[in-house]
Coordinates of all heavy atoms in Angstrom, one line a residue:
M296 N 5.1 -48.2 -20.6 CA 3.7 -47.7 -20.7 C 3.4 -47.5 -22.2 O 4.2 -46.8 -22.8 CB 3.4 -46.5 -19.9 CG 3.5 -46.7 -18.4 SD 2.9 -45.2 -17.5 CE 1.7 -46.0 -16.5
T297 N 2.3 -47.9 -22.7 CA 2.0 -47.7 -24.1 C 1.5 -46.3 -24.3 O 0.8 -45.7 -23.4 CB 0.9 -48.7 -24.5 OG1 -0.2 -48.5 -23.7 CG2 1.5 -50.1 -24.5
G298 N 1.9 -45.7 -25.4 CA 1.4 -44.3 -25.7 C 2.2 -43.2 -25.0 O 1.9 -42.1 -25.1
E299 N 3.1 -43.6 -24.1 CA 3.9 -42.6 -23.3 C 5.1 -42.2 -24.2 O 5.9 -43.0 -24.7 CB 4.3 -43.3 -22.0 CG 5.0 -42.4 -21.1 CD 5.4 -43.1 -19.8 OE1 6.0 -44.2 -19.8 OE2 5.1 -42.5 -18.8
T300 N 5.3 -40.9 -24.3 CA 6.5 -40.4 -25.0 C 7.7 -40.6 -24.1 O 7.6 -40.8 -22.9 CB 6.4 -38.9 -25.3 OG1 6.4 -38.1 -24.0 CG2 5.1 -38.6 -26.1
R301 N 8.9 -40.6 -24.7 CA 10.1 -40.8 -24.0 C 10.2 -39.6 -22.9 O 10.7 -39.9 -21.8 CB 11.3 -40.7 -24.9 CG 12.6 -40.9 -24.2 CD 13.8 -41.1 -25.2 NE 15.1 -41.1 -24.5 CZ 15.6 -42.2 -23.9 NH1 15.1 -43.3 -24.0 NH2 16.8 -42.1 -23.3
E302 N 9.9 -38.4 -23.3 CA 10.0 -37.3 -22.4 C 9.1 -37.5 -21.2 O 9.6 -37.3 -20.0 CB 9.6 -36.0 -23.1 CG 9.7 -34.8 -22.2 CD 9.3 -33.5 -23.0 OE1 9.1 -33.5 -24.2 OE2 9.1 -32.5 -22.3
T303 N 7.9 -37.9 -21.4 CA 7.0 -38.2 -20.3 C 7.5 -39.3 -19.4 O 7.5 -39.3 -18.2 CB 5.6 -38.6 -20.8 OG1 5.1 -37.4 -21.6 CG2 4.6 -38.9 -19.7
R304 N 8.1 -40.4 -20.0 CA 8.6 -41.5 -19.3 C 9.8 -41.1 -18.4 O 9.9 -41.4 -17.2 CB 9.1 -42.6 -20.2 CG 9.6 -43.8 -19.5 CD 10.0 -44.9 -20.4 NE 10.1 -46.2 -19.6 CZ 10.7 -47.2 -20.1 NH1 11.2 -47.3 -21.3 NH2 10.8 -48.3 -19.3
L305 N 10.7 -40.2 -19.0 CA 11.8 -39.7 -18.2 C 11.3 -38.9 -17.0 O 11.9 -39.1 -15.9 CB 12.7 -38.9 -19.1 CG 13.5 -39.7 -20.1 CD1 14.3 -38.8 -21.0 CD2 14.4 -40.8 -19.5
K306 N 10.4 -38.1 -17.2 CA 9.8 -37.3 -16.1 C 9.2 -38.2 -15.0 O 9.4 -37.9 -13.8 CB 8.8 -36.3 -16.6 CG 9.4 -35.1 -17.4 CD 8.3 -34.2 -17.8 CE 8.8 -33.1 -18.7 NZ 7.8 -32.2 -19.2
R307 N 8.5 -39.2 -15.5 CA 7.8 -40.1 -14.5 C 8.9 -40.9 -13.7 O 8.8 -41.0 -12.5 CB 6.9 -41.1 -15.2 CG 6.2 -42.0 -14.3 CD 5.2 -42.9 -15.1 NE 5.7 -43.6 -16.2 CZ 6.5 -44.7 -16.2 NH1 6.8 -45.3 -15.0 NH2 7.0 -45.3 -17.3
L308 N 9.9 -41.4 -14.4 CA 11.0 -42.1 -13.7 C 11.8 -41.2 -12.7 O 12.1 -41.6 -11.6 CB 11.9 -42.8 -14.7 CG 11.3 -43.9 -15.5 CD1 12.2 -44.4 -16.6 CD2 10.8 -45.0 -14.6
K309 N 12.0 -40.0 -13.1 CA 12.7 -39.0 -12.2 C 11.9 -38.8 -11.0 O 12.4 -38.8 -9.9 CB 13.0 -37.7 -12.9 CG 14.2 -37.8 -13.9 CD 14.4 -36.5 -14.6 CE 15.5 -36.7 -15.7 NZ 15.8 -35.4 -16.4
M310 N 10.6 -38.6 -11.1 CA 9.7 -38.4 -10.0 C 9.7 -39.6 -9.1 O 9.8 -39.5 -7.9 CB 8.3 -38.1 -10.5 CG 7.3 -37.8 -9.3 SD 7.7 -36.4 -8.4 CE 7.4 -35.1 -9.5
R311 N 9.6 -40.8 -9.7 CA 9.6 -42.0 -8.9 C 11.0 -42.2 -8.2 O 11.0 -42.8 -7.1 CB 9.4 -43.3 -9.7 CG 7.9 -43.4 -10.1 CD 7.7 -44.8 -10.8 NE 7.9 -45.9 -9.8 CZ 8.1 -47.1 -10.2 NH1 8.1 -47.4 -11.5 NH2 8.3 -48.0 -9.2
S312 N 12.0 -41.7 -8.8 CA 13.4 -41.8 -8.2 C 13.5 -40.9 -6.9 O 14.3 -41.3 -6.0 CB 14.4 -41.3 -9.2 OG 14.4 -42.2 -10.3
M313 N 12.8 -39.8 -6.9 CA 13.0 -38.9 -5.7 C 11.9 -39.0 -4.7 O 11.9 -38.4 -3.7 CB 13.1 -37.5 -6.2 CG 11.9 -36.9 -7.0 SD 12.3 -35.3 -7.7 CE 11.2 -34.3 -6.8
R314 N 10.9 -39.8 -5.0 CA 9.8 -40.1 -4.0 C 9.8 -41.5 -3.6 O 9.0 -42.3 -3.8 CB 8.4 -39.8 -4.7 CG 8.3 -38.4 -5.2 CD 8.2 -37.4 -4.1 NE 8.4 -36.0 -4.6 CZ 7.5 -35.1 -4.4 NH1 6.4 -35.3 -3.7 NH2 7.8 -33.9 -4.9
R315 N 10.9 -41.8 -2.8 CA 11.1 -43.2 -2.3 C 10.6 -43.3 -0.9 O 9.9 -42.5 -0.4 CB 12.6 -43.5 -2.4 CG 13.2 -43.3 -3.8 CD 12.7 -44.3 -4.8 NE 12.8 -45.6 -4.3 CZ 12.3 -46.7 -5.0 NH1 11.6 -46.5 -6.0 NH2 12.4 -47.9 -4.5
G316 N 11.0 -44.4 -0.3 CA 10.6 -44.6 1.1 C 11.5 -44.1 2.1 O 11.2 -43.7 3.2
I317 N 12.8 -44.1 1.8 CA 13.8 -43.6 2.7 C 14.6 -42.5 2.1 O 14.9 -42.5 0.9 CB 14.8 -44.7 3.3 CG1 15.5 -45.4 2.2 CG2 14.0 -45.7 4.1 CD1 16.6 -46.4 2.7
K318 N 15.0 -41.5 2.8 CA 15.7 -40.3 2.3 C 17.0 -40.6 1.6 O 17.3 -40.0 0.6 CB 15.9 -39.3 3.5 CG 16.4 -38.0 3.1 CD 15.3 -37.3 2.3 CE 15.7 -35.8 2.0 NZ 14.7 -35.2 1.2
E319 N 17.7 -41.6 2.1 CA 19.0 -41.9 1.5 C 18.8 -42.3 0.0 O 19.5 -41.9 -0.9 CB 19.7 -43.0 2.2 CG 20.2 -42.6 3.6 CD 19.2 -42.7 4.7 OE1 18.0 -42.9 4.4 OE2 19.6 -42.5 5.9
M320 N 17.8 -43.1 -0.2 CA 17.5 -43.6 -1.6 C 16.9 -42.5 -2.4 O 17.1 -42.4 -3.6 CB 16.6 -44.9 -1.6 CG 17.3 -46.1 -1.1 SD 19.0 -46.4 -1.8 CE 18.7 -46.5 -3.6
D321 N 16.1 -41.6 -1.8 CA 15.6 -40.4 -2.5 C 16.8 -39.6 -3.1 O 16.8 -39.3 -4.3 CB 14.9 -39.4 -1.6 CG 13.6 -39.9 -1.1 OD1 13.1 -40.9 -1.6 OD2 13.0 -39.2 -0.2
L322 N 17.8 -39.4 -2.3 CA 19.0 -38.6 -2.8 C 19.8 -39.4 -3.8 O 20.2 -38.8 -4.8 CB 19.8 -38.2 -1.5 CG 19.1 -37.3 -0.5 CD1 20.0 -37.1 0.7 CD2 18.9 -35.9 -1.2
I323 N 20.1 -40.6 -3.5 CA 20.9 -41.4 -4.4 C 20.2 -41.5 -5.8 O 20.9 -41.2 -6.8 CB 21.2 -42.8 -3.8 CG1 22.1 -42.7 -2.6 CG2 21.8 -43.7 -4.8 CD1 22.2 -43.9 -1.8
L324 N 19.0 -41.9 -5.8 CA 18.3 -42.2 -7.1 C 18.0 -40.9 -7.8 O 18.0 -40.8 -9.0 CB 17.1 -43.1 -6.9 CG 17.4 -44.5 -6.5 CD1 16.1 -45.3 -6.3 CD2 18.3 -45.2 -7.5
M325 N 17.7 -39.8 -7.1 CA 17.4 -38.5 -7.7 C 18.6 -38.0 -8.4 O 18.5 -37.6 -9.6 CB 17.0 -37.5 -6.6 CG 16.7 -36.1 -7.2 SD 16.3 -34.9 -6.0 CE 17.9 -34.8 -5.1
R326 N 19.7 -38.1 -7.8 CA 21.0 -37.6 -8.5 C 21.4 -38.5 -9.6 O 21.7 -38.0 -10.7 CB 22.1 -37.6 -7.4 CG 21.9 -36.5 -6.4 CD 23.0 -36.5 -5.4 NE 22.7 -35.4 -4.4 CZ 23.2 -35.4 -3.2 NH1 23.9 -36.4 -2.7 NH2 22.9 -34.4 -2.4
F327 N 21.2 -39.8 -9.5 CA 21.5 -40.7 -10.6 C 20.6 -40.4 -11.8 O 21.0 -40.3 -12.9 CB 21.4 -42.2 -10.1 CG 21.7 -43.1 -11.2 CD1 23.0 -43.4 -11.6 CD2 20.6 -43.7 -11.9 CE1 23.2 -44.3 -12.6 CE2 20.9 -44.6 -12.9 CZ 22.2 -44.9 -13.3
S328 N 19.3 -40.3 -11.4 CA 18.3 -40.1 -12.5 C 18.5 -38.8 -13.3 O 18.4 -38.8 -14.5 CB 16.9 -40.2 -12.0 OG 16.6 -39.1 -11.2
E329 N 18.9 -37.8 -12.6 CA 19.1 -36.5 -13.2 C 20.4 -36.6 -14.1 O 20.4 -35.9 -15.2 CB 19.3 -35.4 -12.2 CG 18.0 -35.0 -11.5 CD 18.2 -34.0 -10.3 OE1 19.3 -33.8 -9.9 OE2 17.1 -33.5 -9.9
A330 N 21.4 -37.3 -13.7 CA 22.6 -37.4 -14.5 C 22.6 -38.4 -15.6 O 23.2 -38.2 -16.6 CB 23.8 -37.7 -13.5
R331 N 21.8 -39.5 -15.5 CA 22.0 -40.6 -16.4 C 20.7 -41.0 -17.2 O 20.9 -41.6 -18.3 CB 22.4 -41.8 -15.6 CG 23.8 -41.6 -14.9 CD 24.9 -41.7 -15.8 NE 26.2 -41.4 -15.2 CZ 26.9 -42.3 -14.5 NH1 26.5 -43.5 -14.4 NH2 28.1 -42.0 -13.9
L332 N 19.5 -40.7 -16.8 CA 18.4 -41.3 -17.5 C 18.3 -40.9 -18.9 O 17.9 -41.6 -19.8 CB 17.1 -41.0 -16.7 CG 16.8 -41.7 -15.4 CD1 15.4 -41.4 -14.9 CD2 17.0 -43.1 -15.5
A333 N 18.5 -39.6 -19.2 CA 18.4 -39.1 -20.5 C 19.2 -39.8 -21.6 O 18.8 -39.9 -22.7 CB 18.7 -37.6 -20.6
E334 N 20.4 -40.3 -21.2 CA 21.2 -41.0 -22.1 C 21.0 -42.6 -22.1 O 21.6 -43.2 -23.0 CB 22.7 -40.8 -21.7 CG 23.1 -41.4 -20.4 CD 24.4 -40.9 -19.8 OE1 24.7 -39.7 -20.0 OE2 25.1 -41.7 -19.2
M335 N 20.1 -43.0 -21.4 CA 19.8 -44.5 -21.3 C 18.9 -44.9 -22.5 O 18.0 -44.2 -22.9 CB 19.2 -44.9 -20.0 CG 20.1 -44.7 -18.8 SD 19.3 -45.0 -17.2 CE 19.6 -46.7 -17.0
S336 N 19.2 -46.2 -22.9 CA 18.3 -46.8 -24.0 C 17.0 -47.2 -23.4 O 16.8 -47.2 -22.2 CB 19.0 -48.0 -24.6 OG 19.0 -49.0 -23.6
A337 N 16.0 -47.5 -24.3 CA 14.7 -47.9 -23.8 C 14.9 -49.2 -22.9 O 14.2 -49.3 -21.9 CB 13.8 -48.2 -25.0
E338 N 15.7 -50.1 -23.3 CA 15.9 -51.3 -22.5 C 16.5 -51.0 -21.2 O 16.1 -51.6 -20.2 CB 16.9 -52.3 -23.3 CG 16.3 -52.8 -24.6 CD 16.4 -51.9 -25.8 OE1 17.2 -50.9 -25.7 OE2 15.6 -52.0 -26.7
A339 N 17.5 -50.1 -21.1 CA 18.1 -49.7 -19.9 C 17.0 -49.0 -19.0 O 17.0 -49.3 -17.7 CB 19.3 -48.8 -20.1
L340 N 16.2 -48.2 -19.6 CA 15.1 -47.6 -18.8 C 14.1 -48.6 -18.3 O 13.6 -48.5 -17.1 CB 14.3 -46.6 -19.7 CG 15.1 -45.3 -20.0 CD1 14.3 -44.4 -21.0 CD2 15.5 -44.5 -18.8
D341 N 13.9 -49.7 -19.0 CA 13.0 -50.8 -18.5 C 13.6 -51.4 -17.3 O 13.0 -51.7 -16.3 CB 12.9 -51.9 -19.6 CG 12.0 -51.5 -20.8 OD1 11.3 -50.5 -20.7 OD2 12.1 -52.2 -21.8
L342 N 15.0 -51.7 -17.3 CA 15.6 -52.2 -16.2 C 15.6 -51.3 -15.0 O 15.3 -51.7 -13.9 CB 17.1 -52.6 -16.6 CG 17.9 -53.2 -15.5 CD1 17.3 -54.6 -15.0 CD2 19.4 -53.4 -15.9
Y343 N 15.8 -50.0 -15.2 CA 15.8 -49.0 -14.2 C 14.4 -49.0 -13.6 O 14.2 -48.9 -12.3 CB 16.2 -47.6 -14.7 CG 16.2 -46.6 -13.6 CD1 17.3 -46.6 -12.7 CD2 15.2 -45.7 -13.4 CE1 17.4 -45.6 -11.7 CE2 15.3 -44.7 -12.4 CZ 16.4 -44.7 -11.6 OH 16.4 -43.8 -10.6
E344 N 13.3 -49.1 -14.4 CA 12.0 -49.0 -13.9 C 11.7 -50.3 -13.0 O 11.1 -50.2 -12.0 CB 11.0 -49.0 -15.0 CG 9.6 -48.7 -14.6 CD 8.7 -48.1 -15.7 OE1 9.1 -48.0 -16.8 OE2 7.6 -47.7 -15.3
N345 N 12.3 -51.4 -13.4 CA 12.2 -52.6 -12.6 C 12.9 -52.4 -11.3 O 12.4 -52.9 -10.2 CB 12.7 -53.8 -13.3 CG 11.8 -54.3 -14.4 OD1 10.7 -54.0 -14.5 ND2 12.5 -55.0 -15.4
L346 N 14.0 -51.8 -11.3 CA 14.8 -51.5 -10.0 C 13.9 -50.6 -9.1 O 13.9 -50.8 -7.9 CB 16.1 -50.8 -10.4 CG 16.9 -50.3 -9.2 CD1 18.3 -50.9 -9.3 CD2 16.9 -48.8 -9.1
L347 N 13.2 -49.7 -9.6 CA 12.4 -48.8 -8.8 C 11.2 -49.5 -8.1 O 10.7 -49.0 -7.1 CB 11.8 -47.7 -9.6 CG 12.7 -46.7 -10.2 CD1 12.0 -45.6 -11.0 CD2 13.5 -46.0 -9.1
D348 N 10.9 -50.7 -8.5 CA 9.9 -51.5 -7.9 C 10.5 -52.3 -6.7 O 9.7 -52.9 -5.9 CB 9.3 -52.6 -8.8 CG 8.4 -51.9 -9.9 OD1 7.9 -50.8 -9.6 OD2 8.3 -52.5 -11.0
E349 N 11.8 -52.3 -6.5 CA 12.4 -53.0 -5.4 C 12.2 -52.2 -4.0 O 12.0 -51.0 -4.1 CB 13.9 -53.2 -5.6 CG 14.2 -54.1 -6.8 CD 13.8 -55.6 -6.6 OE1 13.7 -55.9 -5.4 OE2 13.6 -56.3 -7.6
N350 N 12.4 -52.9 -2.9 CA 12.3 -52.3 -1.6 C 13.5 -51.4 -1.4 O 14.6 -51.8 -1.7 CB 12.3 -53.5 -0.6 CG 12.2 -53.0 0.8 OD1 13.1 -52.5 1.3 ND2 11.1 -53.3 1.4
D351 N 13.2 -50.2 -0.8 CA 14.3 -49.3 -0.5 C 15.4 -49.8 0.4 O 16.6 -49.5 0.2 CB 13.8 -48.0 0.1 CG 13.4 -47.0 -1.0 OD1 13.5 -47.3 -2.2 OD2 13.0 -45.9 -0.6
Q352 N 15.0 -50.6 1.4 CA 16.0 -51.1 2.3 C 17.0 -52.1 1.6 O 18.2 -52.0 1.8 CB 15.4 -51.8 3.5 CG 14.8 -50.9 4.5 CD 13.4 -50.3 4.1 OE1 12.8 -50.8 3.1 NE2 13.0 -49.2 4.8
D353 N 16.4 -52.9 0.7 CA 17.2 -53.8 -0.1 C 18.1 -53.0 -1.1 O 19.3 -53.2 -1.2 CB 16.4 -54.7 -0.9 CG 15.6 -55.7 -0.1 OD1 16.1 -56.0 1.0 OD2 14.6 -56.3 -0.5
L354 N 17.5 -52.0 -1.7 CA 18.3 -51.1 -2.7 C 19.5 -50.5 -2.0 O 20.6 -50.5 -2.5 CB 17.4 -50.1 -3.3 CG 16.5 -50.5 -4.4 CD1 15.6 -49.3 -4.8 CD2 17.3 -50.9 -5.6
Y355 N 19.2 -49.9 -0.8 CA 20.3 -49.3 -0.1 C 21.4 -50.2 0.3 O 22.6 -49.9 0.1 CB 19.8 -48.6 1.2 CG 20.8 -47.8 1.9 CD1 21.2 -46.6 1.3 CD2 21.5 -48.2 3.0 CE1 22.3 -45.8 1.9 CE2 22.5 -47.5 3.6 CZ 22.9 -46.3 3.0 OH 23.9 -45.6 3.6
Q356 N 21.1 -51.5 0.7 CA 22.1 -52.4 1.0 C 22.9 -52.8 -0.2 O 24.1 -53.0 -0.1 CB 21.5 -53.6 1.7 CG 21.0 -53.3 3.1 CD 20.5 -54.6 3.8 OE1 20.4 -55.6 3.3 NE2 20.4 -54.4 5.1
W357 N 22.2 -52.9 -1.3 CA 23.0 -53.3 -2.6 C 23.9 -52.1 -3.0 O 25.0 -52.4 -3.4 CB 22.0 -53.6 -3.7 CG 21.0 -54.7 -3.4 CD1 21.2 -55.8 -2.5 CD2 19.7 -54.9 -4.0 NE1 20.1 -56.6 -2.5 CE2 19.2 -56.2 -3.4 CE3 19.0 -54.2 -4.9 CZ2 18.0 -56.6 -3.8 CZ3 17.7 -54.7 -5.3 CH2 17.2 -55.9 -4.7
V358 N 23.4 -50.9 -3.0 CA 24.2 -49.8 -3.5 C 25.3 -49.5 -2.6 O 26.4 -49.2 -3.0 CB 23.3 -48.5 -3.6 CG1 24.1 -47.3 -3.9 CG2 22.2 -48.7 -4.7
S359 N 25.1 -49.7 -1.3 CA 26.2 -49.5 -0.3 C 27.2 -50.6 -0.2 O 28.2 -50.5 0.5 CB 25.6 -49.1 1.1 OG 24.9 -50.3 1.6
G360 N 26.9 -51.8 -0.9 CA 27.8 -52.9 -0.9 C 27.6 -53.8 0.4 O 28.4 -54.7 0.6
Q361 N 26.6 -53.6 1.2 CA 26.4 -54.4 2.4 C 26.0 -55.8 2.0 O 26.3 -56.7 2.7 CB 25.3 -53.7 3.3 CG 25.8 -52.4 3.8 CD 24.7 -51.7 4.6 OE1 23.9 -52.4 5.3 NE2 24.6 -50.4 4.6
T362 N 25.2 -55.9 0.9 CA 24.8 -57.2 0.4 C 24.9 -57.2 -1.1 O 24.7 -56.2 -1.7 CB 23.3 -57.6 0.9 OG1 22.4 -56.7 0.4 CG2 23.2 -57.7 2.3
P363 N 25.1 -58.4 -1.7 CA 25.2 -58.4 -3.1 C 23.9 -58.2 -3.8 O 22.9 -58.7 -3.3 CB 25.8 -59.8 -3.5 CG 25.6 -60.6 -2.2 CD 25.4 -59.7 -1.1
A364 N 23.9 -57.5 -4.9 CA 22.6 -57.2 -5.7 C 22.3 -58.5 -6.4 O 23.2 -59.3 -6.8 CB 22.9 -56.1 -6.6
P365 N 21.0 -58.7 -6.8 CA 20.6 -59.8 -7.6 C 21.3 -59.7 -9.0 O 21.5 -58.6 -9.5 CB 19.1 -59.6 -7.8 CG 18.7 -58.7 -6.7 CD 19.9 -57.9 -6.4
Q366 N 21.5 -60.9 -9.6 CA 22.3 -60.9 -10.8 C 21.7 -60.0 -11.9 O 22.4 -59.3 -12.6 CB 22.4 -62.3 -11.3 CG 23.4 -62.5 -12.5 CD 23.6 -63.9 -12.8 OE1 22.9 -64.8 -12.3 NE2 24.5 -64.2 -13.6
G367 N 20.4 -60.0 -12.0 CA 19.8 -59.2 -13.1 C 19.9 -57.7 -12.9 O 19.8 -56.9 -13.8
L368 N 20.1 -57.2 -11.7 CA 20.3 -55.8 -11.4 C 21.7 -55.4 -11.0 O 22.0 -54.2 -10.8 CB 19.3 -55.4 -10.2 CG 17.8 -55.6 -10.4 CD1 17.1 -55.3 -9.1 CD2 17.4 -54.6 -11.5
A369 N 22.6 -56.4 -10.9 CA 23.9 -56.1 -10.5 C 24.7 -55.0 -11.3 O 25.3 -54.1 -10.7 CB 24.8 -57.4 -10.4
G370 N 24.6 -55.0 -12.6 CA 25.3 -54.0 -13.4 C 24.7 -52.6 -13.1 O 25.5 -51.7 -13.0
L371 N 23.4 -52.5 -13.1 CA 22.8 -51.2 -12.8 C 23.1 -50.7 -11.4 O 23.5 -49.5 -11.2 CB 21.3 -51.3 -13.1 CG 20.5 -50.0 -12.9 CD1 21.1 -48.8 -13.7 CD2 19.0 -50.2 -13.2
I372 N 23.1 -51.6 -10.4 CA 23.4 -51.2 -9.1 C 24.9 -50.7 -9.0 O 25.2 -49.7 -8.3 CB 23.2 -52.4 -8.1 CG1 21.7 -52.7 -8.0 CG2 23.8 -52.1 -6.8 CD1 20.8 -51.7 -7.3
E373 N 25.7 -51.4 -9.7 CA 27.2 -51.0 -9.7 C 27.3 -49.6 -10.3 O 28.1 -48.8 -9.8 CB 28.0 -52.0 -10.5 CG 29.5 -51.7 -10.5 CD 30.2 -52.8 -11.3 OE1 29.9 -54.0 -11.2 OE2 31.2 -52.5 -11.9
E374 N 26.6 -49.3 -11.4 CA 26.6 -48.0 -12.0 C 26.1 -46.9 -11.1 O 26.7 -45.9 -11.0 CB 25.7 -48.0 -13.3 CG 25.8 -46.8 -14.1 CD 25.0 -46.9 -15.4 OE1 24.7 -48.0 -15.9 OE2 24.7 -45.8 -15.9
I375 N 25.0 -47.2 -10.4 CA 24.5 -46.3 -9.4 C 25.5 -46.0 -8.2 O 25.8 -44.9 -7.8 CB 23.2 -46.8 -8.8 CG1 22.1 -46.7 -9.9 CG2 22.7 -45.9 -7.6 CD1 20.8 -47.4 -9.6
A376 N 26.1 -47.1 -7.7 CA 27.1 -47.0 -6.7 C 28.3 -46.2 -7.1 O 28.8 -45.4 -6.4 CB 27.5 -48.4 -6.2
E377 N 28.8 -46.4 -8.3 CA 29.9 -45.6 -8.9 C 29.6 -44.2 -9.0 O 30.4 -43.3 -8.7 CB 30.3 -46.2 -10.2 CG 31.0 -47.5 -10.2 CD 31.3 -48.1 -11.5 OE1 31.0 -47.5 -12.6 OE2 31.8 -49.2 -11.6
H378 N 28.3 -43.9 -9.4 CA 27.9 -42.5 -9.5 C 27.9 -41.8 -8.1 O 28.3 -40.7 -8.0 CB 26.5 -42.4 -10.1 CG 26.0 -41.0 -10.3 ND1 26.5 -40.2 -11.3 CD2 25.1 -40.3 -9.6 CE1 25.8 -39.0 -11.2 NE2 25.0 -39.1 -10.2
V379 N 27.4 -42.6 -7.1 CA 27.4 -42.0 -5.7 C 28.8 -41.8 -5.2 O 29.1 -40.7 -4.7 CB 26.6 -43.0 -4.8 CG1 26.8 -42.6 -3.4 CG2 25.2 -43.1 -5.2
S380 N 29.7 -42.7 -5.5 CA 31.1 -42.5 -4.9 C 31.8 -41.5 -5.7 O 32.8 -41.0 -5.1 CB 31.8 -43.9 -5.0 OG 32.0 -44.3 -6.3
A381 N 31.4 -41.1 -6.9 CA 32.1 -40.1 -7.7 C 31.8 -38.7 -7.2 O 32.5 -37.8 -7.5 CB 31.8 -40.3 -9.1
R382 N 30.8 -38.6 -6.4 CA 30.3 -37.3 -5.9 C 31.1 -36.8 -4.7 O 31.5 -37.4 -3.9 CB 28.8 -37.3 -5.6 CG 28.1 -37.4 -6.9 CD 26.6 -37.3 -6.8 NE 26.1 -36.0 -6.4 CZ 26.0 -34.9 -7.2 NH1 26.4 -34.9 -8.4 NH2 25.5 -33.8 -6.7

């Protein structure tokens, strides 16, 4: 978003992370966003924002390893899955 400060963007992405369609993804993405977003580059935040546009059922299957993630999101999905399994 143009004119948006990094701080505002981080807050917006955290809110989008915890207001999902299914509770499992609320919890997974909320915890990931709280732990990792602040250290991400602008390009990584762009990718994360694209990920937030995906369907929750698809995201859950990718994060849980039930189905492979699309190539463009695979690295980020792997990072999220690793964060979940480390808890």
Side-chain angles (χ1 to χ4, degrees):
M296 294 188 127
T297 58
E299 183 177 49
T300 66
R301 181 173 173 85
E302 180 181 348
T303 301
R304 184 179 194 193
L305 292 175
K306 286 179 183 179
R307 180 175 54 78
L308 292 175
K309 285 179 184 179
M310 183 61 71
R311 285 190 65 200
S312 297
M313 59 188 245
R314 301 290 167 123
R315 305 293 307 168
I317 60 174
K318 189 66 172 175
E319 292 85 350
M320 289 313 302
D321 288 352
L322 295 171
I323 289 168
L324 293 178
M325 178 184 67
R326 290 176 180 155
F327 178 80
S328 70
E329 289 174 347
R331 302 282 176 85
L332 288 189
E334 66 193 36
M335 293 172 93
S336 69
E338 294 79 20
L340 290 175
D341 290 344
L342 182 61
Y343 185 76
E344 192 159 6
N345 289 337
L346 176 127
L347 292 178
D348 290 335
E349 296 291 338
N350 179 291
D351 270 3
Q352 287 77 15
D353 293 336
L354 283 173
Y355 186 75
Q356 289 186 348
W357 300 336
V358 170
S359 65
Q361 295 176 35
T362 59
Q366 189 173 11
L368 296 174
L371 180 55
I372 293 291
E373 184 177 325
E374 188 178 338
I375 293 169
E377 287 173 3
H378 182 74
V379 170
S380 66
R382 293 187 63 78

